[in-house]
Amino acid sequence: MTIHNRSNPAARTEVPRLEDKTIQPIPLNERHGTARDLFTIWFGSNIMIMTMVTGGLATTVFGLGFVPAIVGIILGNAVGAIFMALHAAQGPQLGVAQMIQTRGQFGSYGALLIVVLVVVMYLGFFAANLVFGGEALAAVSPGISDDAGIVVIGVVSVVATIFGYRIIHAYARFLSIVAGLALVLAFVWILFVHGLPSTFLSEGNFTWAGFMGTVSVAALWQLAYAPYVSDYSRYLPQGTGSTPAFWASYSGCVLGSLFPMILGALVGTLAVTMGADAANVQIPGSMGALLQPWTMVVMGIFCLGVAAQNSINLYCGVLCSLTIGQTFKPSWLPRAKTRSVAAILLFTVALMVSLFARDNFILFYTNFLSFLMYVLVPWTAINLVDYYLLRHGDYKVEDFFKRDGGVYGRFNWVAIGAYLAGALIQVPFSATAVYTGPVAAAMGGVDISWIVGLGVVSPLYYVAARVFRKKPVTSSLEALSLESDLV
């Protein structure tokens, strides 16, 4: 297929339907698309079951009433997406996957600390999506068991990952329309046909612990996309401005997450008003009961969203896994066949996790979100401070692929030290099912760990980097068009 390069209309290149690139820089003559593509991939892929389950935590696990739940969901999404969208603007400039670019902050070997944790994150989200999507698919298809539904969702995700970047973007564009209409139908049916009981707004209680828990979960939903976003913007022309990339990513991810989360909170509140135990509410099952006779249509479309989101998780997980391997063999630049094999292997691991932990998955999921908060917050602070305040987007991309890290070295102990400090500083402020820190306990269980993490790591890394690190290097972005230089 011939793609017109938007940054140079005269340039054309043959871009195969089966993506042949993995972690190598995207040559300038293969760049294509516009910032609008960033809106649809984050809008369409977020309209799915797990987004609704996450929103439902506000009125079930955290016990909030519907109004404070909405306020918490809006606040968390609006703040968390700022950091996510700032990462998205890096892709067109550097043309490499997000975790490859992390070598510019942590060094070639130091980055492995983050990359391995991010692979665990992708597998966790992939497994969670398999469980929630599989259960929803089984609920609307009586002939399919939960386990069979899990396998079906997973296989669709693997196929999309094998085809790669273009098919995933196309899938998300399709879902932006179809899933968006299904979301509108769900709201209209529940609000105006099923109706709300007179006691609806009096259900639940406001607590600062529950409110901040809701804000934190919503913010973390957005922050968790930070390691993803450059993977889906790295093919855009280098001339794509940071501002359009930021706002397209921000608006797509906020709107695509916000309304499904509000729907989940709505369903959770309705389930409680109808006598369900808040701690045991199953959002997919409760939603299916409320949407009759549209259950199969709406829930079926939301299951398509699960497969789209899981293809995003699996694709990024594969890129990170290949990044780990390439660290030890710099001359290795894997292609489509390697991506396919890696996708199948990671799918197998996630499938085993989802089948094993399926019966207690809400507990697993909430603890998993807490784990992500500790590991992602300090990384996103370091990456953004380094990119925007210290180097101003000016990196030697070819040095990312050298065993010794080139000008970035094997280990950047300033970044590693700031990262570990950021992870540890959050512990006293954390309030989870597993552990409540002394400060959080003194505050009545209010968790502000991620706010403290961002507030401490950002200035700490900025000052330490200016004092101890080498002067920022001069970039060689022209090397993006000379892929052969890396071999």
Side-chain angles (χ1 to χ4, degrees), residues 46-362:
N46 271 295
I47 304 176
M48 59 163 183
I49 301 297
M50 198 166 80
T51 322
M52 299 166 200
V53 171
T54 302
L57 296 176
T59 53
T60 56
V61 172
F62 297 126
L64 291 178
F66 184 63
V67 173
I70 290 180
V71 175
I73 288 170
I74 292 173
L75 182 60
N77 276 286
V79 173
I82 295 172
F83 304 95
M84 168 268 187
L86 286 171
H87 287 286
Q90 298 172 7
Q93 174 73 0
L94 300 178
V96 293
Q98 190 73 62
M99 288 298 103
I100 287 287
Q101 191 251 339
T102 294
R103 293 172 176 175
Q105 292 94 49
F106 289 83
S108 60
Y109 285 95
L112 291 175
L113 168 69
I114 313 301
V115 179
V116 170
L117 291 172
V118 169
V119 171
V120 173
M121 180 193 76
Y122 289 135
L123 289 175
F125 274 129
F126 191 95
N129 269 323
L130 287 179
V131 171
F132 297 137
E135 290 177 348
L137 188 59
V140 300
S141 306
I144 298 179
S145 66
D146 288 355
D147 290 351
I150 286 172
V151 173
V152 169
I153 295 291
V155 169
V156 174
S157 306
V158 170
V159 171
T161 301
I162 289 173
F163 277 88
Y165 182 93
R166 287 183 57 240
I167 194 67
I168 294 173
H169 268 279
Y171 194 0
R173 284 194 293 270
F174 168 75
L175 282 172
S176 292
I177 299 172
V178 175
L181 291 174
L183 188 64
V184 171
L185 174 60
F187 270 114
V188 170
W189 189 266
I190 292 173
L191 291 174
F192 300 106
V193 178
H194 180 276
L196 303 180
S198 59
T199 59
F200 178 79
L201 292 179
S202 63
E203 289 294 339
N205 299 292
F206 178 85
T207 64
W208 279 108
F211 180 75
M212 288 305 300
T214 299
V215 172
S216 296
V217 165
L220 183 61
W221 182 269
Q222 299 292 340
L223 284 168
Y225 281 121
Y228 293 65
V229 285
S230 282
D231 296 2
Y232 294 97
S233 63
R234 72 193 199 279
Y235 274 90
L236 292 180
Q238 197 180 84
T240 303
S242 295
T243 300
F246 174 90
W247 285 112
S249 301
Y250 183 89
S251 58
C253 210
V254 168
L255 295 176
S257 304
L258 184 62
F259 292 110
M261 285 188 186
I262 291 174
L263 179 60
L266 173 66
V267 170
T269 303
L270 283 172
V272 173
T273 63
M274 292 187 290
D277 178 13
N280 296 314
V281 170
Q282 300 294 321
I283 296 297
S286 299
M287 192 179 310
L290 292 169
L291 289 174
Q292 296 289 348
W294 294 102
T295 300
M296 292 187 67
V297 174
V298 174
M299 297 297 283
I301 292 173
F302 289 163
C303 286
L304 292 177
V306 172
Q309 177 63 219
N310 254 5
S311 66
I312 289 174
N313 286 318
L314 189 57
Y315 180 84
C316 293
V318 167
L319 294 185
C320 285
S321 299
L322 299 180
T323 297
I324 294 171
Q326 194 272 340
T327 301
F328 300 101
K329 189 178 180 181
S331 62
W332 181 55
L333 291 176
R335 298 284 184 169
K337 182 178 179 180
T338 307
R339 183 178 66 246
S340 301
V341 173
I344 294 170
L345 291 175
L346 289 181
F347 163 65
T348 302
V349 174
L351 179 63
M352 290 189 293
V353 171
S354 62
L355 294 176
F356 176 77
R358 176 165 58 86
D359 293 336
N360 299 299
F361 218 79
I362 283 293

Side-chain angles (χ1 to χ4, degrees), residues 90 93-94 101-108 382-397 399-400 405-409 411-415 461-462 464-466 468-477:
Q90 298 172 7
Q93 174 73 0
L94 300 178
Q101 191 251 339
T102 294
R103 293 172 176 175
Q105 292 94 49
F106 289 83
S108 60
I382 290 168
N383 179 275
L384 294 178
V385 166
D386 193 84
Y387 185 90
Y388 287 100
L389 300 181
L390 295 173
R391 301 187 190 274
H392 307 287
D394 195 15
Y395 291 86
K396 292 188 71 173
V397 173
D399 282 19
F400 294 163
V407 296
Y408 307 108
F411 295 94
N412 178 1
W413 294 109
V414 172
Y461 177 68
Y462 179 80
R466 289 183 64 88
F468 296 108
R469 208 174 61 181
K470 296 177 182 179
K471 185 179 179 180
V473 299
T474 301
S475 69
S476 298
L477 292 174

